Amino acid sequence: MNKKNVDVECTEDDSTTRLLKLIDEGDASAILSEKNFAIRFNELVKYELVAIKKDKLSLTERGRHALRVGVRSVINKIKNEIGFSMILKQGAMH
């Protein structure tokens, strides 16, 4: 991986981590001003790192874990689990 790709990944990780922290702190004004908010937010919802309950946004246990160990590592682990699950399902169908 070249330096440019590493820089882009680090920037994405930093902004996703920042967004998780803002959600955890409940800082709505800062969340709304976050650059690329929609893309990052959708990813957090997709991988169940955040939840919306009774019109309130909060971190899930998985989201809190991601803050402790690193967002990208948690998301990559989830992606791998989903991929493995799909392979098992396809194998069972044949």
Side-chain angles (χ1 to χ4, degrees):
M1 189 179 312
N2 66 35
K3 179 160 174 35
K4 187 174 182 178
N5 288 343
V6 171
D7 288 344
V8 168
E9 275 186 25
C10 288
T11 302
E12 289 175 5
D13 287 352
D14 292 345
S15 66
T16 304
T17 299
R18 182 171 181 268
L19 186 53
L20 271 178
K21 287 179 182 177
L22 292 173
I23 291 168
D24 192 36
E25 294 165 0
D27 191 349
S29 62
I31 292 169
L32 294 174
S33 67
E34 178 71 24
K35 196 174 186 176
N36 299 319
F37 168 71
I39 296 167
R40 303 280 174 264
F41 179 76
N42 288 337
E43 185 177 45
L44 295 175
V45 172
K46 178 180 178 179
Y47 295 112
E48 300 176 353
L49 300 178
V50 298
I52 304 169
K53 294 181 184 173
K54 297 182 182 181
D55 296 331
K56 292 195 177 196
L57 188 59
S58 62
L59 295 185
T60 62
E61 284 303 314
R62 189 181 272 179
R64 284 186 186 83
H65 178 70
L67 277 178
R68 287 190 303 271
V69 302
V71 176
R72 193 56 40 203
S73 66
V74 170
I75 289 174
N76 285 338
K77 183 178 179 185
I78 295 166
K79 286 179 180 180
N80 289 337
E81 289 171 359
I82 292 169
F84 185 70
S85 175
M86 296 296 287
I87 290 169
L88 289 177
K89 285 180 185 178
Q90 288 176 351
M93 296 174 84
H94 294 233

